[in-house]
Amino acid sequence: MILLEPNSYVLEETLLARFNSEKPEVVDITLVDFDNVIYHVQTSAEQRTLLNLSVEMKYFNEVCAYGAKSILQREYGDYLVPVANSQYQITLQFNLEQLPADKAGLAKHVSMLKRNVLASPFIRAFEYWESQQEGAGPLMATHYRENEAIYVQAQQDRVTVIFSTLFQEEVDRVLGKVFLQEFVDARRQAAIQNAPQVFYSSREAPLEIRHLPGLRQDESVGYVSFVLFPRHFADAEVREKTISQIQLFRDYLHYHIKCAKAYMHSRMRTRVKEFLKVINRAKPDRTTAASEKRTASGRYFRPQFRQSSATSPQQVEGEW
Amino acid sequence: MSNTLRPYLSAVRSSLTAALCLENFASQIVEKHNVPEVEAGNTKEVLLKPLIVSRNENEQVLIEGSINSVRVSIRIKQADDIERILAHKFTRFLMMRAENFVILRRVPIKGYDISFLVTNFHTEQMYKHKLVDFIIEFMEEVDKEISEMKLSLNARARIVAETYLSQFV
């Protein structure tokens, strides 16, 4: 599968198993999602029929400023607990006896939690564009990972999304450059001429964010800008799809870099096996005819290997 | 450019075949020791003059001979960043498995990408012409492998970019 899914599949499966189980059992499961989001599924201490889902999202405060709380209220209002558990930012509580009929749908909806929360800066940017105000909108930054961030800014006729991504290793850097160059060049193809425009710079930040303090601008950092045109977010359905896709860009890129490295590794291993075969041809081996020499009475000759000191071939009792 | 490949390889082949005339030589410095003289370098009279066969300045083979051992070092063509990384990874991969390859050296000589060390014991145990075959085939295969990996990497990058961007359309 080339594309990553926007929902958390493991969370969906876990919740569905809990919803569908006959007897509410005590559970305490910790799950991880992309971008350091941790889910904690736990049966409530007071009542066994209450299931708590706590989410730890370090960047929740930033996203609240862009309206994440109202999105949460709208999507999961029935289950939202006003004050989250300690060290977690969001808590949902499910009563296992009072679930709606469509349990699978609910599980899927909940697994989109991270996607919906991170959608808030995008939705705000699109709303700004819809309001057709003059000039550029506010620059919204979300530091969703350590040392990496997404910047979203709306303008009158487009929305710009800038990713800053960190490449830890030299190999990643070179591979990343190859992949990102292809992203930039992909528009030349007729089929995807309508796709967003992509720009890439390997050290310097793009003009829109250069004024921000604390920007990393060294060799290991890359900046990728997407220019989204109205056709990508004017229509509601297309808008949702765009948001889901664009959030996952950084993870998608790094996932494919790792896949490319794994593929090269397996190719090299095959090649090494081939080389080993060639060098083993250089070693004179005992031919099968020689090792099966036998006398008339049925005994075998077993010749010694050349390098050891014993020279006389041994005689072995063969099967009659 | 491949019209220089055949004469290059045949020159390397004949130089190697000539250099691989090895005989046993016990160490003159320490009693009862038997050392590959090209590695030790202590006894000057048994070392032969090193020979370089080059196709161009980026591809060379250095052959250092002695009475009981020969060191062959190869510099692989690396045109850009990607090829440099691929060649480095590939040779490192091979050198970590040097035990299986018997004649491979774990560390290349400075200025070269990969080195082989063939001693008289190897030529006694293995067919000499097959050893030379292996080294020549190795040189051909490595170049082919690196360019194939680069091509597949570019193809993969193109597919990844296309799939992602076509989701927006």
Side-chain angles (χ1 to χ4, degrees), chain B residues 11-21 63 70 72 131-132 135-136:
Chain B
V12 174
R13 183 186 286 271
S14 35
S15 317
L16 270 182
T17 319
L20 276 175
C21 298
I63 304 177
V70 171
V72 185
L131 275 179
V132 175
I135 297 185
I136 301 292

Side-chain angles (χ1 to χ4, degrees), chain A residues 86-128:
Chain A
S86 68
Q87 97 190 94
Y88 293 108
Q89 277 76 35
I90 311 172
T91 307
L92 300 180
Q93 195 172 67
F94 302 97
N95 191 334
L96 291 172
E97 289 165 354
Q98 293 171 8
L99 292 172
D102 182 14
K103 293 191 187 141
L106 177 66
K108 198 168 174 84
H109 190 54
V110 175
S111 68
M112 301 277 251
L113 180 80
K114 162 175 153 309
R115 177 248 178 234
N116 287 332
V117 168
L118 194 51
S120 47
F122 298 98
I123 293 188
R124 184 160 282 197
F126 295 150
E127 281 168 2
Y128 182 89

Side-chain angles (χ1 to χ4, degrees), chain A residues 233-250:
Chain A
F233 50 83
D235 176 51
E237 203 185 302
V238 176
R239 185 183 292 195
E240 294 303 312
K241 198 163 168 221
T242 301
I243 294 179
S244 301
Q245 276 298 111
I246 195 115
Q247 274 180 13
L248 289 170
F249 171 69
R250 185 256 174 222

Side-chain angles (χ1 to χ4, degrees), chain A residues 2-3 170-171 174-175 178-179 182-183 186 189 191-192 194-196 198 226 228 232 241-242 245-246 249 252 256 259-260 263-265 267-269 271-272 275-276 278-279 281-284 306-307, chain B residues 81-82 85-86 89-91 93-94 97 100-103 124-127 130-131 133-134 137-139 141-142 144-145 148-149 152-154 156-169:
Chain A
I2 299 188
L3 290 169
E170 173 71 38
V171 182
V174 177
L175 287 178
V178 174
F179 276 82
E182 279 298 329
F183 269 92
Q189 277 205 328
I192 45 181
N194 297 330
V198 186
F226 280 81
L228 297 174
H232 300 128
K241 198 163 168 221
T242 301
Q245 276 298 111
I246 195 115
F249 171 69
Y252 179 76
H256 278 286
C259 280
Y263 173 67
M264 283 200 293
H265 211 87
R267 250 197 108 106
M268 287 196 275
R269 218 178 302 140
R271 189 52 61 186
V272 164
F275 280 144
L276 269 175
V278 178
I279 195 139
R281 264 188 257 149
K283 299 193 186 129
R306 197 182 295 175
Q307 70 184 124
Chain B
D81 270 343
I82 278 284
I85 290 207
L86 289 176
K89 270 186 165 277
F90 194 44
T91 51
F93 205 86
L94 288 166
R97 288 158 179 76
N100 289 337
F101 281 99
V102 187
I103 57 171
E124 282 164 21
Q125 283 171 8
M126 303 197 262
Y127 296 124
K130 295 267 181 188
L131 275 179
D133 272 348
F134 171 70
E137 196 169 319
F138 176 86
M139 287 167 62
E141 287 297 317
V142 159
K144 229 190 286 179
E145 184 68 25
E148 263 175 44
M149 280 206 273
S152 72
L153 187 68
N154 284 330
R156 182 182 275 260
R158 194 164 311 133
I159 294 179
V160 160
E162 267 175 52
T163 322
Y164 187 73
L165 288 176
S166 58
Q167 290 294 312
F168 286 97
V169 176

